[in-house]
């Protein structure tokens, strides 16, 4: 069985300062729920079986609840 996966990096906000990761140095950048919906509705998304939500720290995205739903 082939597992189709798509990953959304919804933010680069992070409350940690790990030495091996510099995502927190990039400044604040968030993807909007509308951008995610647009991608899901496009034919590129197709029939995915697994969706991953990541980022810096995805829970710091101000609209995380809306994106998760």
């Amino acid at each position: 069985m082939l597992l189709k996966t798509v990953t959304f990096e919804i933010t680069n906000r992070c409350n940690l300062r790990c030495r091996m990761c510099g995502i927190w140095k990039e400044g604040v950048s968030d993807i909007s729920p509308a951008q995610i919906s647009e991608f899901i509705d496009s034919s590129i998304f197709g029939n995915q079986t697994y969706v991953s939500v990541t980022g810096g720290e995805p829970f710091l995205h101000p609209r995380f609840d809306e994106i998760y739903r």
Side-chain angles (χ1 to χ4, degrees):
M1 180 175 127
L2 180 61
L3 183 63
K4 297 178 181 179
T5 304
V6 66
T7 300
F8 290 108
E9 187 173 301
I10 64 171
T11 187
N12 62 358
R13 297 169 190 254
C14 189
N15 52 349
L16 300 176
R17 300 296 181 256
C18 302
R19 290 182 187 181
M20 81 293 194
C21 178
I23 196 168
W24 54 273
K25 295 178 184 178
E26 297 175 14
V28 174
S29 177
D30 297 326
I31 190 170
S32 72
Q35 289 171 306
I36 293 172
S37 293
E38 182 180 321
F39 181 76
I40 290 172
D41 292 342
S42 75
S43 59
I44 297 170
F45 188 71
N47 189 17
Q48 301 302 318
T49 55
Y50 182 80
V51 176
S52 174
V53 176
T54 187
E57 172 50 66
F59 293 118
L60 294 178
H61 191 292
R63 297 171 72 186
F64 176 80
D65 291 342
E66 182 180 346
I67 290 170
Y68 183 75
R69 272 187 250 119

